[in-house]
Amino acid sequence: MLVDGHMHLENGPLTKEYVMEFINEAYKQGFDRIQILDHTHRFKEFEVIYQGVKEASDQQREWLANKKMKFKDTLSSYVCLINEVKEEELPIEVLFGLEVCYVPEYKEEIRRILESYQFDFLVGAIHSIDGLLYDMPWSKEILWDKYNVDDIYHRYYELIFDLVKSGLFTQLAHPDTIKMFNYYPTYDLKPTYHELAKLLVKHHVKGECNTGCYYRYHHQDKGLSKELLDIFKEHHVDIITASDAHKPADVGTCIKDIYKLCQYD
């Protein structure tokens, strides 16, 4: 089954017509199932969990103040859209969820918000190291060139482990996208990867092989690093392929290149 397990409505409206652009593109490419979501920073209900990100730097505060993109919609409006699309006769299987920016100190607040809704899947993601975003144009200035890279990696995977153990999520977003700017630790990551794989299996959380780091940020790996992918397969992690598309034209990007690598014999 050809699956794209992660694509965003972020750059468009919450309308059935816009959703159908993603569905039609996936159908044209021969996908059997897609999973549509959006970042929690789109929704008003989640603004509280970004307080630490706002306070950590002026750039981040300004980025989150853009009300044309951030905290502009409600979860109820998203649910209405989901129900509207699901009433249609669709050419492929379409699931809907959220990508939740996981912040440990707001774990129970996240749980409280989510318990009022029934989504097909929930993706947990780490985008910041204690409030400092690692994947933005200003990240080198505020994080990578300011702090020890080993410490950043240690903390990133501590946060990932806590996310997986929280019981909130069915899927882990881009597990090794911390590599995106080609900063690497001096220590061996294999023990960390083995621990992560065991946790994913224990807590029944899927691990993404996400191509977004490759085509959106020009990292050399088309998905997971070979080392991490091999360890996931060794432990029989449930691996889901994902494009991280942020527009319809990017649906399925490079997934066919990595699909067979992610399958079990």
Side-chain angles (χ1 to χ4, degrees):
M1 177 180 279
L2 193 59
V3 175
D4 187 340
H6 185 140
M7 59 186 70
H8 289 273
L9 301 177
E10 179 173 340
N11 292 313
L14 292 180
T15 64
K16 183 172 67 175
E17 292 73 22
Y18 189 55
V19 171
M20 288 305 302
E21 291 185 37
F22 288 84
I23 295 171
N24 290 333
E25 180 61 33
Y27 176 65
K28 183 173 71 176
Q29 292 189 40
F31 279 82
D32 302 292
R33 184 174 78 224
I34 60 172
Q35 296 188 170
I36 295 174
L37 47 70
D38 230 341
H39 286 291
T40 42
H41 59 57
R42 179 174 190 144
F43 300 103
K44 296 176 182 178
E45 291 88 343
F46 285 100
E47 186 166 6
V48 63
I49 74 171
Y50 292 88
Q51 191 59 35
V53 176
K54 290 180 182 181
E55 293 173 355
S57 83
D58 292 339
Q59 298 100 317
Q60 292 178 174
R61 188 180 303 107
E62 184 177 343
W63 178 69
L64 287 169
N66 177 9
K67 293 298 183 180
K68 290 183 179 180
M69 294 289 289
K70 308 295 189 295
F71 316 119
K72 61 175 183 161
D73 293 304
T74 63
L75 285 172
S76 59
S77 64
Y78 181 44
V79 171
C80 286
L81 170 64
I82 292 170
N83 293 334
E84 185 181 359
V85 173
K86 288 192 170 186
E87 288 176 359
E88 298 293 316
E89 189 170 329
L90 302 174
I92 58 174
E93 184 182 7
V94 182
L95 304 180
F96 288 89
L98 289 171
E99 179 177 352
V100 180
C101 290
Y102 182 70
V103 185
E105 54 265 41
Y106 287 99
K107 184 188 309 183
E108 295 311 313
E109 180 67 14
I110 292 169
R111 195 183 309 277
R112 185 194 65 76
I113 296 168
L114 292 174
E115 67 187 7
S116 300
Y117 301 91
Q118 289 292 324
F119 294 103
D120 297 318
F121 65 97
L122 288 168
V123 178
I126 299 298
H127 287 288
S128 69
I129 308 300
D130 297 322
L132 296 172
L133 296 167
Y134 65 78
D135 57 353
M136 300 298 285
W138 59 80
S139 295
K140 293 181 181 181
E141 173 191 344
I142 68 170
L143 179 68
W144 290 109
D145 294 339
K146 191 172 181 181
Y147 297 96
N148 180 275
V149 172
D150 285 6
D151 292 341
I152 294 170
Y153 266 79
H154 279 299
R155 184 58 178 151
Y156 175 75
Y157 281 105
E158 282 179 1
L159 293 166
I160 290 277
F161 295 165
D162 193 64
L163 180 163
V164 174
K165 291 187 282 189
S166 72
L168 289 167
F169 306 108
T170 60
Q171 188 168 314
L172 171 62
H174 35 66
D176 65 346
T177 195
I178 192 78
K179 68 190 177 184
M180 61 185 301
F181 293 131
N182 283 302
Y183 289 84
Y184 289 97
T186 60
Y187 66 92
D188 184 3
L189 282 166
K190 286 180 184 175
T192 302
Y193 289 167
H194 281 288
E195 186 175 354
L196 174 57
K198 290 174 185 176
L199 284 172
L200 290 170
V201 172
K202 179 180 178 180
H203 293 276
H204 308 287
V205 177
K206 295 179 180 179
E208 288 183 2
C209 189
N210 188 309
T211 63
C213 207
Y214 173 73
Y215 74 91
R216 295 179 64 222
Y217 296 98
H218 312 296
H219 191 276
Q220 59 268 24
D221 294 340
K222 280 196 175 179
L224 295 170
S225 69
K226 184 181 185 304
E227 185 175 65
L228 181 52
L229 180 59
D230 286 346
I231 289 171
F232 274 11
K233 295 184 78 172
E234 178 183 338
H235 290 276
H236 297 278
V237 171
D238 190 354
I239 300 168
I240 184 167
T241 48
S243 69
D244 217 323
H246 280 60
K247 56 186 179 182
D250 287 341
V251 169
T253 299
C254 298
I255 284 181
K256 291 179 181 177
D257 296 338
I258 63 164
Y259 207 79
K260 286 185 178 178
L261 297 174
C262 297
Q263 306 307 302
Y264 290 95
D265 296 331

